[in-house]
Amino acid sequence: MSEEVLARMRRKFFPLYLIGLLASLIFLAHLVLNYIYTGKEQYLTLSMLTGLFSAYLAYSLAKLLRTKIPIYSYRKVVRCTQCGYEEEAEAKGGEILFENAGSCPKCGGEMIVQKIYRKKQLKGILG
Amino acid sequence: MNQGSFIDAIVWFIMLTILFYLNREIEIMRLVGEIEGYLRLYKAVRDKALATTLADFKSVISKKGVEGIDIKLVEKRIKDLVELVFISPTDLDPFGIVRKIKHLLLTSEKTLKKELKSFVPSASDAEIENTLNLLEATRALNFIYKVVNHIYMIGRKFKSLWILMQLDAQLPFITEEVRALEGAIEAFSKGLPVGDSVGPIVAASLIRKYCKQEEIIEEVENTIIAKGVFKNRIIYVIKAKGPGGTVGHLDDALEWVINNAGRVDAIITVDAALKLEGEETGSVAEGFGVAIGGIGVEKFNIEELATKHNVPLYAVLIKMSEEEALSVIDEKLYEGIEKAIANVERFIKTRTPENGIIAIIGVGNTIGVAP
């Protein structure tokens, strides 16, 4: 949940970075064209500065898009105490480790909850 | 060569001063922005924890079909309990302080359980214990948020760069703790085992392997003692009574074992330990001493008993991060549990005499672990 809050906070910057990057790239193209057609050095100096700013924005945007948030799911493994047959399913809550989990579909033996664990999956920041 | 006038020098000096001042102000603004972001995060987590605790207790009430209960009063009491304070005994004269802390812990635990039970008399011990665990995690989150907010506000009030910088430097560690407690909220509300349950899981596995059902007794409140035989040695396995979220009274149970068995030849404690960055989750370390965390009351009492009866103390530690310790157990930790069981068996075979009596203590919260 804290990861989601952080992602939500960072996601707000996405349009800002995108618009900023597009604007600076257009401005950069304008400066470069001006330099090519006029040959004035101040356009070159300004285009270098704008280029650096565009690179910074592109880097920030890439960093934002690379951010992954973990999503957790809960699993349980039930095992037959006689034949060792195993089944894995989602743990919905309230499961108890080493408690009886019915009878084995293969041999009819006692099945117990052998493992309960959380599984991590990564999701992109934009969902 | 023109070296500039006196006026030029003054202008430069003023400009430099302004630049230094602006630099400091910008740095303060950056720190304030960063800390405020984290504070929003801590508040969101705290509020969600409180909402989960309330929802969990309300679901216990509705499940048990309690009628005529004032839900608003229950909500108010739960909110009051989140602000609860434990006042440590004075250590001006430290003699006997452990006894005093134990007394405080036992009486406060009993009182809180009794109060929650008074709302839902038909609730099981496990349900009450899980709600208490939720309350404890919410209280910790509330405390963290309040303290961080306090330091931030003081720093901002006095425009102190140093206070803000110190707080900012601590934020990664605080956030780690907040994430751990957030994981605990999820685990306790679902009643599933947490990373800290590895000790009780090792103990429960040993009970299943070597002890008979009829040899499991509860002589000490919330704690079970199981007697079994392994390689011609008598083993007493001690763990908190599951599946409620409790840590039991392991020191009292060990005292009972020593008094009833007459002697103990070795005490083996198994517990979760915090790993350092770079260490593998689920790796196992062995050691000497009592592997037990918390305030230190049980550790002190077990050490006292071991010293009094001249019993060697062996420890098995399963490594994990703080977040993993309080969140629902990670799959990797089951490998650590297998290794820890093998270590305990090896200790018994190689370090204890034949026909010896060995006490094995599975330390930790036994939420979601039977028996």
Side-chain angles (χ1 to χ4, degrees):
Chain A
M1 188 259 174
S2 59
E3 301 278 357
E4 281 161 26
V5 173
L6 275 179
R8 209 165 48 228
M9 274 152 58
R10 284 178 193 152
R11 214 179 293 150
K12 280 183 193 163
F13 290 99
F14 179 73
L16 202 73
Y17 283 139
L18 196 67
I19 294 165
L21 181 64
L22 286 173
S24 66
L25 283 175
I26 292 166
F27 188 53
L28 178 66
H30 168 75
L31 289 171
V32 171
L33 285 173
N34 268 336
Y35 172 67
I36 292 168
Y37 290 118
T38 62
K40 285 183 181 172
E41 278 200 354
Q42 53 265 52
Y43 287 121
L44 186 66
T45 317
L46 269 175
S47 64
M48 274 169 66
L49 286 171
T50 315
L52 278 174
F53 183 63
S54 306
Y56 168 73
L57 286 176
Y59 170 72
S60 303
L61 194 65
K63 213 167 80 174
L64 191 74
L65 290 172
R66 270 205 311 269
T67 309
K68 301 270 182 220
I69 53 168
I71 305 290
Y72 297 105
S73 60
Y74 304 102
R75 312 288 301 165
K76 66 173 175 186
V77 176
V78 291
R79 186 184 292 165
C80 175
T81 50
Q82 282 176 21
C83 69
Y85 169 75
E86 271 188 9
E87 268 178 15
E88 196 173 328
E90 185 195 351
K92 288 177 179 137
E95 285 86 351
I96 298 163
L97 211 56
F98 305 126
E99 277 270 294
N100 188 300
S103 54
C104 176
K106 290 248 165 112
C107 70
E110 186 199 15
M111 298 277 277
I112 61 153
V113 181
Q114 191 67 30
K115 277 182 186 176
I116 297 170
Y117 63 92
R118 77 170 182 176
K119 203 172 175 180
K120 186 176 171 180
Q121 278 175 317
L122 295 171
K123 194 179 90 176
I125 197 163
L126 298 176
Chain B
M1 195 176 119
N2 185 13
Q3 290 187 347
S5 66
F6 178 69
I7 301 291
D8 285 345
I10 293 287
V11 169
W12 268 111
F13 182 73
I14 291 169
M15 277 176 73
L16 269 177
T17 313
I18 290 171
L19 209 67
F20 279 128
Y21 176 75
L22 279 179
N23 182 39
R24 190 175 161 276
E25 287 299 305
I26 290 167
E27 185 63 12
I28 288 176
M29 269 166 61
R30 189 190 69 80
L31 287 170
V32 163
E34 204 168 300
I35 295 166
E36 275 180 352
Y38 277 100
L39 268 173
R40 273 201 296 275
L41 172 77
Y42 298 164
K43 191 171 181 296
V45 175
R46 191 267 318 253
D47 292 346
K48 194 186 171 207
L50 183 60
T52 309
T53 308
L54 286 169
D56 182 82
F57 198 54
K58 278 185 206 166
S59 83
V60 173
I61 292 170
S62 64
K63 210 160 57 184
K64 298 291 165 190
V66 185
E67 281 175 15
I69 193 163
D70 186 352
I71 292 289
K72 284 214 167 130
L73 179 77
V74 174
E75 274 185 16
K76 194 189 166 298
R77 270 313 287 152
I78 296 278
K79 281 178 186 165
D80 287 346
L81 289 174
V82 169
E83 300 286 341
L84 198 76
V85 178
F86 288 96
I87 303 156
S88 299
T90 177
D91 54 2
L92 281 174
D93 176 10
F95 180 75
I97 194 166
V98 176
R99 255 185 324 113
K100 289 184 201 168
I101 296 173
K102 188 167 182 175
H103 168 72
L104 178 75
L105 290 174
L106 286 177
T107 49
S108 55
E109 190 188 312
K110 258 186 197 162
T111 312
L112 287 174
K113 267 188 193 172
K114 212 171 144 187
E115 178 157 2
L116 288 183
K117 198 120 190 178
S118 71
F119 289 122
V120 198
S122 53
S124 68
D125 284 350
E127 282 165 334
I128 296 292
E129 274 151 11
N130 289 356
T131 308
L132 270 179
N133 280 327
L134 274 172
L135 254 176
E136 207 171 300
T138 310
R139 197 165 58 227
L141 284 166
N142 185 44
F143 183 72
I144 290 172
Y145 168 69
K146 283 189 164 184
V147 170
V148 173
N149 191 41
H150 167 76
I151 300 169
Y152 160 71
M153 287 178 92
I154 293 281
R156 205 165 172 184
K157 189 173 165 186
F158 292 98
K159 279 204 158 190
S160 168
L161 181 64
W162 307 113
I163 290 177
L164 294 171
M165 274 173 90
Q166 283 184 56
L167 180 60
D168 190 59
Q170 293 291 322
L171 286 176
F173 302 104
I174 299 169
T175 307
E176 182 89 341
E177 206 170 328
V178 168
R179 288 209 176 118
L181 289 163
E182 189 189 6
I185 293 286
E186 184 83 7
F188 291 134
S189 65
K190 288 183 185 296
L192 298 175
V194 293
D196 187 45
S197 308
V198 287
I201 294 175
V202 168
S205 303
L206 290 168
I207 291 171
R208 286 184 62 81
K209 266 172 115 173
Y210 304 114
C211 308
K212 288 177 190 152
Q213 191 62 36
E214 57 272 18
E215 298 272 27
I216 303 172
I217 50 168
E218 189 190 347
E219 283 296 325
V220 176
E221 197 193 351
N222 278 339
T223 315
I224 57 158
I225 302 162
K227 191 180 172 187
V229 178
F230 172 68
K231 299 275 174 197
N232 292 328
R233 280 96 164 160
I234 295 171
I235 58 167
Y236 283 92
V237 186
I238 301 167
K239 75 176 275 292
K241 187 188 173 193
T246 177
V247 290
H249 302 288
L250 306 172
D251 50 346
D252 295 336
L254 178 68
E255 193 173 11
W256 184 91
V257 168
I258 293 174
N259 290 340
N260 278 271
R263 70 168 213 281
V264 162
D265 296 297
I267 297 168
I268 305 170
T269 44
V270 186
D271 194 10
L274 283 186
K275 68 168 187 171
L276 300 171
E277 283 299 323
E279 279 188 304
E280 194 78 23
T281 294
S283 59
V284 173
E286 55 179 84
F288 297 97
V290 182
I292 193 165
I295 296 171
V297 174
E298 293 190 313
K299 188 175 169 139
F300 176 88
N301 288 338
I302 294 172
E303 283 167 352
E304 277 278 296
L305 282 167
T307 311
K308 188 178 162 193
H309 298 277
N310 195 26
V311 187
L313 290 160
Y314 305 120
V316 181
L317 303 166
I318 302 171
K319 303 277 186 80
M320 64 191 78
S321 69
E322 194 175 357
E323 191 195 341
E324 286 163 339
L326 291 177
S327 306
V328 173
I329 188 165
D330 193 282
E331 197 180 6
K332 278 185 199 164
L333 289 171
Y334 284 97
E335 289 166 28
I337 289 166
E338 293 301 322
K339 284 184 218 159
I341 293 170
N343 271 16
V344 171
E345 288 172 343
R346 184 169 53 80
F347 282 178
I348 297 172
K349 277 187 273 184
T350 58
R351 294 182 182 177
T352 64
E354 285 229 13
N355 302 315
I357 299 170
I358 293 99
I360 304 157
I361 308 174
V363 181
N365 193 315
T366 193
I367 185 162
V369 184

